[in-house]
Amino acid sequence: MRGGYRGRMPPESRPRLRPVHWVAVDVAVAVLLAVVDLHAVRGGVLGWLTVLAMTVPLAARRIWPVPVFAVVMVFSALAPQFEVSRDAHLVRALALYPVLLVAPRWIAAAAASVALTTTVLASLAMAEFRMAEAAWSMFNGVLFLTTAGAIAIAVRLQRRFTDSQRRYVAAQREQAAERAVTEERLRIARELHDVLAHGMSVITIQASVARHVFEQRPWEARRALETIEDSSRGSLAELRQMLTALRADPLLDPAPTLSDLEALVARTAAAGVPVEVRSRGEQRPLPAGMELSVYRIIQEALTNVVKHAGPARAEVLLWYQPESLTVEVTDDGGGSVADRRDRGGEPGHGLLGMRERVAVYGGRLDAGPLPPPGRGFRVHARLPLTARRGEGDA
């Protein structure tokens, strides 16, 4: 071969014998043993029949291991009378092997005991029960049986280990698939919550404003309706983008980024909450997944301000540090902190979603009321820029 040997062949490309090939090998071995023993046998026709009955069944030892073993044991016990004792030891070992390989443990143990007893008694009978003369024949017989038994047990254990390994790998794959489905469902739920909660909050507040001023100040009602239209269009566009991604449409619009903050701030201001955005430190590109998470955190925090803070102003701070990015959203509203939590006093779905997004990157999120004498609420998130997890952002 040109280039010489280049390593072992991969397991999946190695040639493997099929069951029909092994049966063909057994047929060849049975024919060979029969031919050899027929030339060496003494005793005429009776000896020939004994040899054929002892060797020919080996061709089917993998198909009917226990019946073949029983037939071979009976006729191999008669073989020493026709001077084919050594080949009888080999035949017994070949018949025992498939029984030890596939039969239940108690059948395998019984077969091994029968084979050992038959070997010892046949050897003694050939030497007229003189132990000294029978010792060498017994040694050969036990050696054949022990070798066959050791190989069968080793193969059986290897098969069991391989089956266990396959089951383990299959279970791991199944669990990984279930985790992937669960994570994807949670991701979609977070995205839907972020999109719908912000859009519907703006629409609800502006619809309420339009209803109250419709007769006295129709121009304000008109402006509120325009805000509702803009907010609904933006929410529909994001929903369409998500559905397109789920359908794996190649014409996929880009996910929201920090460059879309201006539009988010405009929608929030139209809902009655002026927002100031400040940046500190040297701005630099972020991984796509992290930038989307930062946008969603700011969006959810502003949505909570619109829904719960009452008349308020909000401030967004993006602080770029050498090893981290700090995102802080504060407001001076007087809404109750309990309004931002569920009925059990635990963080609502919005805060939980923000915590999950931050946790993905090994960061930390704190959310709570501002310390006295200040009033309002603060969401503070810190995300390491030396990502602990390269989740597809590279």
Side-chain angles (χ1 to χ4, degrees):
M1 181 184 299
R2 181 173 296 180
Y5 178 71
R6 298 188 180 277
R8 292 185 176 180
M9 186 181 297
E12 62 274 9
S13 62
R14 294 174 187 165
R16 301 182 66 180
L17 292 179
R18 297 179 179 178
V20 65
H21 297 152
W22 286 112
V23 173
V25 171
D26 290 339
V27 171
V29 171
V31 171
L32 178 62
L33 287 174
V35 171
V36 171
D37 289 344
L38 285 174
H39 281 80
V41 71
R42 300 288 185 270
V45 175
L46 186 59
W48 295 343
L49 293 177
T50 301
V51 167
L52 291 175
M54 179 181 70
T55 57
V56 172
L58 292 176
R61 66 184 186 128
R62 298 178 190 272
I63 303 174
W64 302 297
V66 175
V68 168
F69 173 79
V71 172
V72 168
M73 287 302 107
V74 171
F75 287 97
S76 67
L78 302 176
Q81 300 181 18
F82 305 103
E83 300 183 7
V84 287
S85 176
R86 178 175 297 179
D87 289 343
H89 296 329
L90 177 60
V91 167
R92 277 191 287 268
L94 292 175
L96 177 64
Y97 175 82
V99 178
L100 297 179
L101 192 63
V102 300
R105 291 181 179 178
W106 68 272
I107 294 180
S113 300
V114 169
L116 184 61
T117 303
T118 303
T119 298
V120 171
L121 292 179
S123 299
L124 288 173
M126 184 181 65
E128 298 180 356
F129 293 92
R130 292 191 292 268
M131 182 62 68
E133 297 182 9
W136 180 248
S137 178
M138 283 191 293
F139 174 79
N140 286 334
V142 172
L143 180 62
F144 279 124
L145 294 178
T146 303
T147 302
I151 296 174
I153 293 173
V155 174
R156 185 166 183 159
L157 292 176
Q158 190 271 339
R159 286 182 179 179
R160 182 179 301 175
F161 174 77
T162 302
D163 292 341
S164 301
Q165 195 174 33
R166 288 174 181 170
R167 288 194 296 269
Y168 175 77
V169 171
Q172 290 296 311
R173 289 177 178 173
E174 184 176 355
Q175 292 177 6
E178 291 177 356
R179 284 196 300 270
V181 171
T182 302
E183 291 177 359
E184 184 65 12
R185 289 175 60 186
L186 291 174
R187 185 189 69 80
I188 294 172
R190 286 196 301 265
E191 294 292 324
L192 286 174
H193 176 273
D194 292 342
V195 172
L196 294 179
H198 180 78
M200 294 306 297
S201 296
V202 172
I203 291 172
T204 300
I205 291 175
Q206 292 301 312
S208 177
V209 171
R211 181 170 61 84
H212 281 87
V213 302
F214 184 78
E215 295 182 356
Q216 291 81 10
R217 299 190 297 278
W219 62 91
E220 290 190 20
R222 181 183 180 89
R223 189 166 61 228
L225 292 174
E226 290 175 351
T227 301
I228 290 174
E229 181 181 7
D230 293 340
S231 180
S232 61
R233 286 183 186 275
S235 297
L236 284 174
E238 290 197 51
L239 286 175
R240 189 178 299 112
Q241 169 191 332
M242 291 181 59
L243 294 176
T244 302
L246 292 176
R247 288 193 293 263
D249 194 325
L251 301 177
L252 177 62
D253 294 333
T257 64
L258 293 180
S259 61
D260 298 310
L261 275 182
E262 184 177 351
L264 176 63
V265 168
R267 291 198 302 269
T268 307
V273 178
V275 181
E276 179 185 359
V277 179
R278 295 191 300 115
S279 178
R280 293 176 58 184
E282 181 182 354
Q283 297 187 23
R284 54 189 182 276
L286 300 175
M290 180 179 290
E291 190 159 353
L292 174 61
S293 294
V294 171
Y295 177 89
R296 293 303 189 196
I297 291 170
I298 297 173
Q299 183 186 48
E300 178 58 35
L302 293 179
T303 299
N304 283 341
V305 176
V306 171
K307 290 169 61 176
H308 305 301
R313 298 179 62 86
E315 181 180 287
V316 176
L317 171 63
L318 295 171
W319 186 5
Y320 292 86
Q321 297 165 289
E323 296 182 354
S324 65
L325 171 65
T326 298
V327 183
E328 187 173 88
V329 181
T330 57
D331 67 79
D332 58 2
S336 171
V337 174
D339 293 338
R340 311 194 192 203
R341 301 177 180 269
D342 62 21
R343 294 182 179 180
E346 298 296 329
H349 293 294
L351 292 179
L352 287 176
M354 286 190 279
R355 291 190 192 281
E356 290 173 356
R357 291 184 183 277
V358 172
V360 165
Y361 296 95
R364 178 178 178 180
L365 183 134
D366 296 310
L370 292 172
R375 54 177 255 166
F377 201 84
R378 184 186 74 156
V379 174
H380 180 92
R382 182 181 180 278
L383 294 88
L385 294 180
T386 52
R388 299 180 188 175
R389 171 183 172 184
E391 57 154 37
D393 297 335

